Amino acid sequence: SKIWKGTIDNDWSKAGNWEPVGVPDANSCVIVPSILSSFGNKSEIIGPGFNGFGKTLEVKDDGILEINSVNTLTITDYVKVAPAGTFLIEDSSSLIQINNAVNTGNIRMQRNTNIRKLDYVYWSTPVAGFSSSAISPLTPSAFIWKWAPTTATAYASQFGNWIAGSEGMTTGRGYIVRGPDNFTTTKQIYTANFIGVPNNGIITTPISRSTYMSPDSAYPGPTNTWVTVDDDNWNLVGNPYPSAISANTFLATNTNIDGNIRYWTHGTIPSSAISDPFYNNYVQNYTVGDYVIYNATGANPPIGSGNIDAGQGFFVLMNHSS
């Protein structure tokens, strides 16, 4: 085992802060105990760009572990956090696990976004049992939505639409949440705190479509926009892990989608000058131009670093043959 002592300071990467002396590696059973050294009982993975390792990780009652922004901790097996222990993962950092081990105890993962009151952010939970209403407690539940790939209609086909999404979040599903009520028309940083047992292992998220198949049978929908063969194929999913995942690996593995993912950038405020979507008539609308399409060659316009961030929701288009 490697037991945190904090003999020198709070820096995980200094050998003298550990007993026995030496920075943990992938074979180390790491323990952050409930101690109070002259520097306190906090261990910090400090960077940016530092990668910490361990075989297992235990944070005891009153122990504190923090992964500072833009750093990574890779644990081979399980993570165990005592009820009074603290394990904080700051924005743009990752907890990576190699094996399909069962975790216990709560982490707190922070995700930052730069938004206005009327901006929607597409989210997915990296922890188990988290409520979508806890993402932004000052956002009324009427402004939390999930996407239903098919809805009953009086038209020639069923097609997708937004439905109420204030609920316990389904792992791997995407949700959209408007900015807090106390925000304004000026963008500012909002921090969501996901608290719960970190998701791990192989996670599958079912997607679905209706039966509208013919590319030659597009027709005018509830508004002036035409309903097409793809309109019952959209699914809003999300990264279920407390770490970034490779977008290219995701696309290569999931061959039942069309080879693209759609990120929402919430760059444009809603306006009456924007055309209605096909499924409803609104006084003001958001623009489809705020979606960025990413495929194996990258994104146009460029976005991110080829990874799907922790907490990120996004649209995929299910193939007709799937």
Side-chain angles (χ1 to χ4, degrees):
S1 296
K2 289 285 186 179
I3 302 175
W4 173 257
K5 290 297 184 181
T7 308
I8 302 171
D9 54 20
N10 290 340
D11 191 345
W12 171 293
S13 66
K14 292 184 179 178
N17 278 327
W18 296 93
E19 183 181 278
V21 172
V23 179
D25 59 25
N27 297 312
S28 304
C29 296
V30 178
I31 298 174
V32 180
S34 49
I35 62 169
L36 287 173
S37 70
S38 57
F39 294 99
N41 58 341
K42 180 194 292 186
S43 176
E44 295 183 81
I45 297 179
I46 299 171
F50 180 79
N51 299 314
F53 295 91
K55 177 176 174 58
T56 62
L57 171 66
E58 292 191 45
V59 181
K60 301 290 189 179
D61 283 325
D62 299 321
I64 302 173
L65 173 61
E66 294 183 2
I67 307 178
N68 291 180
S69 186
V70 200
N71 294 284
T72 298
L73 175 60
T74 300
I75 299 298
T76 305
D77 291 321
Y78 66 81
V79 170
K80 181 178 181 180
V81 183
T86 299
F87 183 5
L88 170 64
I89 304 172
E90 294 184 352
D91 182 67
S92 299
S93 290
S94 290
L95 167 65
I96 299 172
Q97 292 181 260
I98 304 301
N99 294 331
N100 188 11
V102 177
N103 296 323
T104 55
N106 292 340
I107 66 168
R108 176 159 64 97
M109 182 163 218
Q110 296 179 330
R111 302 300 301 162
N112 294 343
T113 184
N114 190 24
I115 56 171
R116 299 160 292 217
K117 176 180 177 178
L118 296 182
D119 290 338
Y120 278 92
V121 179
Y122 287 35
W123 298 99
S124 180
T125 180
V127 299
F130 195 76
S131 174
S132 59
S133 63
I135 294 174
S136 176
L138 293 181
T139 297
S141 60
F143 300 108
I144 302 173
W145 303 92
K146 59 184 178 181
W147 183 258
T150 61
T151 58
T153 70
Y155 292 85
S157 71
Q158 296 182 351
F159 42 76
N161 205 345
W162 296 107
I163 60 175
S166 182
E167 62 185 24
M169 298 175 76
T170 300
T171 302
R173 184 166 195 166
Y175 294 79
I176 70 170
V177 181
R178 205 202 65 186
D181 256 9
N182 63 338
F183 275 33
T184 66
T185 55
T186 300
K187 283 194 173 185
Q188 63 188 95
I189 298 297
Y190 178 76
T191 301
N193 287 274
F194 291 92
I195 300 172
V197 178
N199 295 327
N200 185 37
I202 298 173
I203 297 172
T204 57
T205 301
I207 59 175
S208 62
R209 62 175 306 278
S210 190
T211 57
Y212 191 47
M213 294 290 289
S214 174
D216 300 320
S217 55
Y219 63 91
T223 66
N224 292 327
T225 304
W226 283 59
V227 178
T228 73
V229 68
D230 289 332
D231 289 330
D232 61 356
N233 290 53
W234 293 107
N235 285 258
L236 183 59
V237 298
N239 179 359
Y241 300 106
S243 66
I245 59 176
S246 167
N248 286 352
T249 300
F250 175 85
L251 291 172
T253 302
N254 293 282
T255 57
N256 57 342
I257 59 177
D258 75 337
N260 301 276
I261 59 179
R262 273 75 170 178
Y263 291 112
W264 176 251
T265 60
H266 55 75
T268 308
I269 60 174
S271 168
S272 59
I274 298 172
S275 298
D276 285 316
F278 69 84
Y279 49 83
N280 218 327
N281 182 31
Y282 298 104
V283 175
Q284 294 183 314
N285 297 289
Y286 295 85
T287 175
V288 295
D290 278 354
Y291 283 107
V292 171
I293 300 174
Y294 180 97
N295 59 29
T297 63
N300 186 17
I303 188 172
S305 58
N307 290 325
I308 302 169
D309 290 337
Q312 178 69 59
F314 53 94
F315 268 110
V316 296
L317 185 66
M318 186 175 180
N319 293 329
H320 292 294
S321 58
S322 297

